[in-house]
Amino acid sequence: MVKEEIAAAIDILKKGGIILYPTDTVWGIGCDATNKSAVEKIYQLKRRSDKKTMICLVSNQLMLEQYVEKVPEPAYDIMDLSERPVTIIYDNPKGVAQNLIAEDNTLAIRVASDQFCQRLIQNFKKPIVSTSANIGGEATPGKFSEISDLILKGVDYVVNLESKTTNSLPSSIIKLGNDGTVKIIRK
């Protein structure tokens, strides 16, 4: 079942489509993070300005290093020691769609901690966008049954797996500058 869902999701991602999928935090809307038009589809679906950037998921620290000019040393400790999913905002991202990168040349990236996301991303071989499955300004749905019909009908594929996570909260977000600055964005 999982193998089939991964294959179906990858087929949509390769075609520039968007998926609804369970992540290590909340249900997410995702696409190929290197495909500018796919990223734009998510902004339109969420009715969200592209000035408000989204998170990318990578499968492991090695993949992270391929999409960031320099990973600050404290990032490894934060990822290894964190007890819940943590997203880190990095300076100077590379190799992703330009409309994912913030005006200050940063990008929020999380190493996926659940097995489904890791396998999906490893098999796709590229980072995947992960943004909460809601219209901009509305509450983040804590479970699948709370996702609006607008979102369900607006994606190209809904991964048919129950979320294994007991965490219905978004990840914490920390900004790590290459100059050594650390800023907590969301606890």
Side-chain angles (χ1 to χ4, degrees), residues 96-159:
V96 296
Q98 195 59 45
N99 54 346
L100 264 183
I101 299 172
E103 289 179 350
D104 64 353
N105 198 32
T106 60
L107 180 62
I109 303 175
R110 182 168 74 246
V111 175
S113 60
D114 76 301
Q115 192 176 27
F116 171 75
C117 285
Q118 287 175 343
R119 286 179 56 194
L120 175 65
I121 298 162
Q122 282 169 346
N123 285 296
F124 186 54
K125 297 179 176 44
K126 291 187 230 178
I128 295 175
V129 168
S130 179
T131 183
S132 56
N134 61 310
I135 302 297
E138 293 182 2
T140 299
K143 51 190 173 211
F144 184 82
S145 61
E146 297 172 0
I147 298 171
S148 78
D149 282 347
L150 221 67
I151 296 292
L152 292 170
K153 291 175 181 162
V155 297
D156 299 302
Y157 186 72
V158 177
V159 172

Side-chain angles (χ1 to χ4, degrees), residues 61-82:
Q61 291 177 358
L62 187 62
M63 183 180 267
L64 167 67
E65 292 164 1
Q66 294 171 357
Y67 292 93
V68 177
E69 194 173 280
K70 177 180 180 261
V71 178
E73 279 305 313
Y76 296 104
D77 291 335
I78 291 168
M79 288 183 278
D80 292 342
L81 300 173
S82 181

Side-chain angles (χ1 to χ4, degrees), residues 23-70:
T23 73
D24 48 359
T25 57
V26 297
W27 274 84
I29 302 170
C31 72
D32 176 350
T34 68
N35 183 325
K36 185 178 180 181
S37 63
V39 171
E40 183 56 37
K41 286 181 191 176
I42 293 180
Y43 282 123
Q44 289 174 3
L45 175 61
K46 286 184 64 92
R47 298 180 182 165
R48 180 176 173 168
S49 162
D50 64 6
K51 300 287 182 249
K52 190 164 184 201
T53 59
M54 298 182 283
I55 294 170
C56 280
L57 292 182
V58 293
S59 58
N60 54 43
Q61 291 177 358
L62 187 62
M63 183 180 267
L64 167 67
E65 292 164 1
Q66 294 171 357
Y67 292 93
V68 177
E69 194 173 280
K70 177 180 180 261

